[in-house]
Amino acid sequence: MNFQDVTSAPIPKEFLAIILAGFGNELHPLTGNHGDEPCPKALLPIANKPMISYTLTWIEESGIQDVLIVCPATHREALSNYLQSDEFSSTLVVNFEAYDSNDPSTGAMEVLAAAAPRCQTDFVLLSCDFIPHPSLPLSSVLNEFRVATDGALAISLFYEASVLDKSEEVAFLEKPPVVIVDPSTSSLLHVDYSHANEEELDLRMSLTWKFPRTRLLANFTDSHVYVCRRAVLDLIVDRAKGFDSFREDFVPWLCKLQYQRRRREKFTAVLSHNIRSSPSSALRHSTRYSASSKRDRTVAPTSSDTSDDEGPLEQTLRCGALLHRAKDGYVTRTNNLYAYSEANRRVLATVLASAPAPSGKPAPSQNADSLIAESSRVGERTSVKKSVVGRHCTIGKNVKIAGSVIGDHCIILDGAHLENCILSQHTRVGEKAELIRCQTQAGLEVEAGAKFKGEKLEVDSWAEGHGDSEEEGSESESE
Amino acid sequence: MSKQERRELQEKQRAAKEVAKAQPAKGAKAANKPSQASQDNQSSKKLSKAAEPSTPSLGASASAKSLNATSASTSQHNLTGTEAFGLRIFSHFGAIKHPSGPAKGDIHPAIVRLGRQFAEFAITGANARCIATLTAFQSVIQDYSTPPNTTLSRHLTTHLSHQINHLVGARPMSVSMANAIKHIKVEITNSDIDMPEQNAKDELCHKIDLYIRDRIIVADKVIRTTALRKIQDGDTILTYARSSVVEKVLLYAHSKGREFSVIVVDSRPMLEGKGLLSKLSSAGIRCTYILLPALPSIIDEVNIVFVGAHSMLSNGAVFSRAGTAMVAMMAQERSIPFVVCCETYKYSEGIHLDSFTKNELAPLSVSIPAASSEEVQSEPNLQILNPLYDLTPPTNITAVVTEVGVIPPSSVSSLPFALGRQFI
């Protein structure tokens, strides 16, 4: 407390933002280790800014001040170095919750259950790889949560997947789940990942009794942005033993609380523990409020005298869903390679559109559709098209780069040819090498004259000493 | 020049003058906007400041503008020339503004929540808003801690005023809220300096509970008992829109075994009568539902009219949902008793002579259902105005039922005196 200041009185915080910064298995080899240092997924650059900076800026704009980043213990140092560096400045108060697990497949549930004691308020659960759009401020999701006077448990955000191109990489991507929403109350009723490819869907009858008119959506993906009540953390702690993934296991389970009577009864005690005084008395007097008791198949309500003035109103425990259409702006989760490169392209386009005059003289034969960091040097007769080049890179002469993402500190020697590649930091590409649709791990050295097409290049494969250009890539795409 | 030509020249000059006036009027209105609620401009400034560091986010350049031009529920009104034309009628209320950005300054989360709920019309009705405000203030008071070098009785009022400004920015305050806040502020300044802080806070929260209980809940109970005497078996009761008091009166009368039927008159855009209709009919009362234009055909069957009020003015006029005045006028014409049920805490010292001087416009999210809101908003020549309140003159009112008795509207100004206080 400030002793000089008369006016300050501490205000309790409304929301805590919890960011899950995982390993990023789908983005391998970009997230592979650079020597002994880890490359956290959260620090992978999109248009030369780390992924997590987009998330943090989004949070900051909405007025939330406290952030808790949940990350593996090995990544913690790298993340905190970035946050304290000069490149990143904000008024957020960031804390870390490191979990000691080197197993990349640790589920989010376990990690959240461990982090639960650090959160005392309602929270916003985010993934570090969500790239928002200005047309979708976080405050609109927060407002949806605040306005819900009927006791909503959580508000989730679903975005419409943009039209994907039909290349082979895309076929391996996860299909969007089957999502059932009730449009009148915008509640999320059913999320199903296992039936996404099939033609039949199993639903509970209690769902159809309670919500006779629903809509089924097949092209909306979960953005992993959830605004939840504090009570949901208690449920997470309770369910952490059985569930692994928050998105795929817990959220569908949570939706069922709205209509499965027995489950409700079991958990109402847990939930009503932490309920802040809901404005039930005010709601009873509200002129636009109408209790949804007509859907209940119980007896007609008894006399108005006793029950109306006392006791809290029944909570719907609903899980709301906010839907973001593709036409309103491009948002995505960059948790796989395709989405990562697509996000780079889109953000590049918008960054270039808004900053038409890059500082410094235009490098020779560099088109205006690329983003090249100032500290990088590009040689003569090099063409860089639709690409993002990181900091401190050295690009030689006669190099052709198209549609690629080049990380920091890369060295690309003369005559190389890169197309649709993603190079991690400290990659070195030899002379006249050709890389088409490849992704490299940090610290990789590509031999001069090597030709790779559609492969993921890892450092380990080089340690074995093969120098052939027909080197096989790493393990297959789906993991 | 002939008379014709002179007339035409005059008209042309007048039209040119109007246009010239509209330009500085637009400038004056843009200057008026800051004075309306400084909250909103500061929050919009924060939005544009936040737009600067948001260059990493997609689409940085037009972010401020795009933030404005989105989300159907809360969109700021940019005053173009055509909009300035429509707002001439209610220009003294100003354009409806909804700060969609984060709250400026340290606003308690309960107040932030409440502000959103008010702005989105999730909680409406004078009683509901007052109770919700007071409940939120209880949380604010409990979470408050007196800074050093000052006392609770002096500082808490300023602290609360800051929160109240945020609420007012979301939606203009109702008279019920204003009276309740006045009462709390008096209680705060009267609180004992020597009392330990937690005790003082608990005492204040208790006083707030008492206020809600005495002036609203118990008052409603007294009103419904009094109103019961006015309802005979076989009556046809008419009510307009939805009043929490009238709802309690009707449900109580039904539970006491009176046989009556109810006609609910409703009007757009709020369509609150639907909620009342479902509540009454599920309780077993025979109901009819009509819209306001159908009233003249059905008014001959009515025995008595009960309505609620947003506030009562000191000349006996009643300020309530738009449309009540018409119902009163028609009832008066046919000598049907028009009874207003109103608690005493809604009494307001002012006097208005018509509905224009003080009113509120419904936001677009309420006026237009979400489905068609986008097409309507993009129409350049269309302006939607929905005043929410109107004034019923005292001559059309037969009686006012309060918790201190049934009084004629002309005696409303003596209420504070009758209650033994200086103000209500």
Side-chain angles (χ1 to χ4, degrees):
Chain A
M1 176 132 31
N2 200 344
F3 287 114
Q4 310 303 324
D5 198 343
V6 179
T7 54
S8 65
I11 301 278
K13 302 295 174 194
E14 195 180 358
F15 290 108
L16 171 72
I18 301 181
I19 303 186
L20 293 175
F23 279 96
N25 300 327
E26 299 281 327
L27 285 170
H28 198 79
L30 300 177
T31 49
N33 288 346
H34 173 213
D36 278 331
E37 288 169 26
C39 289
K41 174 175 80 159
L43 292 181
L44 288 180
I46 294 192
N48 281 340
K49 282 195 176 347
M51 231 188 261
I52 203 170
S53 74
Y54 293 91
T55 322
L56 288 171
T57 325
W58 199 47
I59 294 175
E60 191 182 354
E61 279 171 1
S62 72
I64 301 181
Q65 297 223 299
D66 298 293
V67 179
L68 181 70
I69 300 187
V70 178
C71 62
T74 41
H75 290 179
R76 183 205 167 121
E77 204 183 311
L79 281 172
S80 87
N81 282 344
Y82 168 70
L83 290 174
Q84 282 159 8
S85 72
D86 287 331
E87 301 163 6
F88 179 74
S89 59
S90 77
T91 55
L92 298 174
V93 173
V94 182
N95 287 316
F96 285 90
E97 169 79 16
Y99 59 91
D100 282 321
S101 164
N102 284 324
D103 181 9
S105 63
T106 311
M109 289 294 285
E110 205 180 302
V111 160
L112 280 173
R118 296 187 70 163
C119 175
Q120 307 303 328
T121 59
D122 297 339
F123 63 97
V124 183
L125 185 64
L126 298 157
S127 177
C128 63
D129 56 18
F130 181 67
I131 309 295
H133 190 266
S135 67
L136 183 66
L138 180 57
S139 38
S140 57
V141 190
L142 295 179
N143 285 338
E144 189 79 25
F145 179 75
R146 287 172 183 141
V147 173
T149 47
D150 55 353
L153 270 185
I155 304 285
S156 57
L157 177 67
F158 280 78
Y159 66 93
E160 194 177 1
S162 330
V163 175
L164 305 173
D165 71 322
K166 305 284 178 243
S167 70
E168 48 186 74
E169 328 162 344
V170 173
F172 287 104
L173 284 181
E174 199 182 296
K175 284 205 78 171
V178 170
V179 177
I180 298 191
V181 292
D182 173 30
S184 57
T185 57
S186 45
S187 346
L188 185 66
L189 297 177
H190 187 83
V191 186
D192 207 330
Y193 287 88
S194 47
H195 286 106
N197 285 327
E198 298 173 14
E199 292 177 3
E200 289 184 354
L201 185 66
D202 295 325
L203 292 177
R204 291 204 163 250
M205 281 306 286
S206 47
L207 188 160
T208 50
W209 283 334
K210 199 136 192 238
F211 299 97
R213 302 183 109 150
T214 56
R215 288 188 65 196
L216 192 148
L217 309 163
N219 55 349
F220 275 79
T221 318
D222 195 345
S223 65
H224 214 288
V225 177
Y226 308 100
V227 185
C228 308
R229 287 226 298 251
R230 173 66 179 74
V232 175
L233 262 183
D234 295 332
L235 285 180
I236 292 179
V237 170
D238 184 62
R239 291 271 112 191
K241 303 174 275 297
F243 289 149
D244 207 26
S245 156
F246 188 87
R247 180 175 57 111
E248 291 183 24
D249 300 322
F250 186 71
V251 173
W253 182 86
L254 199 66
C255 302
K256 297 208 170 80
L257 272 179
Q258 292 167 82
Y259 44 86
Q260 263 187 276
R261 206 162 35 92
R262 264 192 226 121
R263 194 180 282 183
R264 263 179 93 98
E265 284 160 14
K266 208 161 77 162
F267 288 99
T268 306
V270 175
L271 291 170
S272 46
H273 228 348
N274 264 325
I275 284 179
R276 202 192 2 230
S277 58
S278 56
S280 47
S281 179
L283 274 181
R284 282 212 186 83
H285 290 82
S286 174
T287 56
R288 278 185 112 200
Y289 173 77
S290 52
S292 56
S293 54
K294 55 184 185 301
R295 293 212 200 98
D296 225 337
R297 291 155 95 237
T298 55
V299 187
T302 50
S303 87
S304 61
D305 212 29
T306 51
S307 55
D308 268 322
D309 286 342
E310 301 123 33
L313 290 172
E314 192 192 328
Q315 312 245 321
T316 57
L317 298 181
R318 74 179 175 99
C319 192
L322 207 60
L323 302 175
H324 180 80
R325 309 266 158 195
K327 65 175 167 57
D328 291 332
Y330 180 75
V331 302
T332 187
R333 278 197 71 193
T334 54
N335 52 354
N336 52 60
L337 285 166
Y338 173 78
Y340 180 72
S341 51
E342 180 69 24
N344 261 301
R345 279 192 277 272
R346 299 272 185 147
V347 178
L348 176 64
T350 41
V351 165
L352 290 176
S354 61
S359 59
K361 45 198 183 307
S365 51
Q366 167 212 332
N367 292 349
D369 54 1
S370 293
L371 182 69
I372 301 186
E374 284 171 20
S375 45
S376 295
R377 277 177 294 139
V378 179
E380 299 165 356
R381 292 189 298 275
T382 299
S383 77
V384 181
K385 292 188 185 143
K386 285 206 176 78
S387 300
V388 181
V389 178
R391 285 174 282 263
H392 313 298
C393 287
T394 313
I395 304 186
K397 301 193 271 258
N398 290 321
V399 175
K400 288 200 184 56
I401 303 181
S404 300
V405 179
I406 316 281
D408 298 340
H409 303 284
C410 284
I411 301 176
I412 304 180
L413 298 178
D414 303 341
H417 189 115
L418 295 170
E419 203 178 299
N420 287 334
C421 292
I422 305 179
L423 298 186
S424 299
Q425 46 174 336
H426 289 101
T427 309
R428 184 192 165 91
V429 179
E431 295 180 7
K432 295 206 175 32
E434 255 185 55
L435 295 171
I436 300 182
R437 284 196 309 277
C438 295
Q439 296 88 32
T440 69
Q441 192 174 348
L444 184 72
E445 287 192 16
V446 180
E447 230 190 38
K451 288 191 187 6
F452 292 103
K453 208 169 183 179
E455 286 166 16
K456 297 182 190 182
L457 304 169
E458 283 192 9
V459 172
D460 284 343
S461 50
W462 283 102
E464 287 164 29
H466 287 282
D468 282 344
S469 47
E470 267 81 305
E471 167 87 42
E472 289 277 321
S474 55
E475 58 266 24
S476 64
E477 288 86 345
S478 61
E479 297 190 300
Chain B
M1 265 195 259
S2 76
K3 220 177 189 182
Q4 230 23 347
E5 294 167 10
R6 244 181 300 156
R7 178 83 40 89
E8 274 168 21
L9 183 63
Q10 234 178 14
E11 287 296 315
K12 243 189 290 178
Q13 284 172 347
R14 196 173 297 159
K17 218 202 252 179
E18 294 275 271
V19 170
K21 223 197 295 182
Q23 296 304 324
K26 183 180 70 163
K29 257 187 281 283
N32 254 344
K33 266 182 82 164
S35 66
Q36 288 278 351
S38 56
Q39 216 53 26
D40 305 293
N41 262 347
Q42 280 163 341
S43 68
S44 66
K45 254 190 260 165
K46 185 157 198 263
L47 274 177
S48 52
K49 245 193 286 181
E52 250 66 57
S54 80
T55 34
S57 310
L58 311 178
S61 69
S63 56
K65 224 194 293 180
S66 62
L67 274 169
N68 278 347
T70 53
S71 61
S73 55
T74 60
S75 55
Q76 292 186 1
H77 278 242
N78 301 316
L79 281 184
T80 62
T82 47
E83 294 209 21
F85 166 73
L87 282 175
R88 248 189 234 157
I89 305 175
F90 289 115
S91 58
H92 53 290
F93 308 148
I96 309 155
K97 39 207 176 314
H98 290 301
S100 46
K104 182 206 176 273
D106 294 325
I107 310 284
H108 192 275
I111 303 283
V112 175
R113 232 170 179 228
L114 197 62
R116 287 313 315 162
Q117 286 171 349
F118 281 172
E120 311 252 343
F121 276 58
I123 297 187
T124 51
N127 281 345
R129 284 165 71 193
C130 181
I131 296 178
T133 315
L134 290 177
T135 321
F137 280 168
Q138 281 179 324
S139 325
V140 176
I141 291 176
Q142 282 300 342
D143 289 331
Y144 169 79
S145 60
T146 319
N149 303 335
T150 182
T151 59
L152 183 129
S153 53
R154 286 192 199 126
H155 184 255
L156 182 54
T157 329
T158 13
H159 183 69
L160 276 181
S161 301
H162 184 56
Q163 317 287 324
I164 293 168
N165 284 342
H166 177 84
L167 282 182
V168 171
R171 196 184 157 187
M173 211 155 52
S174 64
V175 171
S176 55
M177 277 164 71
N179 286 343
I181 289 171
K182 223 189 303 183
H183 178 259
I184 296 184
K185 287 192 174 170
V186 167
E187 291 292 343
I188 293 176
T189 44
N190 285 345
S191 73
D192 195 356
I193 288 190
D194 295 323
M195 219 192 293
E197 185 178 323
Q198 188 57 41
N199 290 7
K201 293 198 285 191
D202 291 336
E203 171 100 21
L204 280 174
C205 290
H206 182 62
K207 291 228 167 74
I208 291 181
D209 278 331
L210 284 181
Y211 187 84
I212 298 180
R213 190 199 68 179
D214 293 337
R215 308 299 298 269
I216 306 180
I217 310 289
V218 172
D220 284 347
K221 290 199 168 119
V222 176
I223 289 178
R224 72 185 185 189
T225 318
T226 321
L228 182 63
R229 300 199 307 257
K230 304 288 174 201
I231 302 179
Q232 321 294 338
D233 278 332
D235 267 353
T236 306
I237 302 179
L238 184 98
T239 181
Y240 181 75
R242 184 176 183 181
S243 162
S244 49
V245 193
V246 174
E247 185 180 314
K248 291 185 190 180
V249 164
L250 295 174
L251 290 173
Y252 179 71
H254 182 72
S255 71
K256 286 290 174 193
R258 289 273 203 277
E259 290 290 325
F260 58 89
S261 65
V262 176
I263 300 181
V264 178
V265 183
D266 205 3
S267 78
R268 292 201 62 202
M270 303 273 283
L271 286 176
E272 295 158 311
K274 286 188 181 176
L276 180 64
L277 182 70
S278 67
K279 196 94 189 276
L280 294 181
S281 48
S282 56
I285 305 177
R286 265 174 305 141
C287 300
T288 313
Y289 177 85
I290 61 171
L291 292 178
L292 186 58
L295 185 58
S297 341
I298 217 165
I299 191 123
D300 291 322
E301 306 175 17
V302 174
N303 296 114
I304 188 168
V305 181
F306 278 101
V307 298
H310 177 265
S311 71
M312 271 193 308
L313 306 176
S314 51
N315 62 343
V318 156
F319 193 70
S320 59
R321 182 65 72 220
T324 319
M326 272 186 262
V327 178
M329 193 168 62
M330 272 193 249
Q332 174 71 14
E333 219 182 316
R334 288 164 177 76
S335 313
I336 300 174
F338 184 84
V339 178
V340 176
C341 301
C342 180
E343 301 90 341
T344 55
Y345 86 109
K346 288 177 181 163
Y347 171 78
S348 151
E349 291 283 341
I351 296 184
H352 301 302
L353 297 175
D354 56 43
S355 340
F356 281 117
T357 43
K358 179 187 169 202
N359 210 323
E360 190 186 334
L361 292 176
L364 275 179
S365 61
V366 168
S367 309
I368 320 169
S372 52
S373 67
E374 289 182 24
E375 303 106 59
V376 176
Q377 269 177 342
S378 55
E379 280 282 339
N381 292 324
L382 181 63
Q383 189 57 230
I384 311 247
L385 293 177
N386 266 310
L388 285 173
Y389 299 107
D390 72 2
L391 198 75
T392 310
T395 46
N396 290 345
I397 302 175
T398 316
V400 179
V401 179
T402 65
E403 70 260 29
V404 296
V406 183
I407 54 178
S410 45
S411 326
V412 163
S413 52
S414 61
L415 267 179
F417 180 70
L419 289 172
R421 303 178 234 249
Q422 264 191 319
F423 53 91
I424 204 70

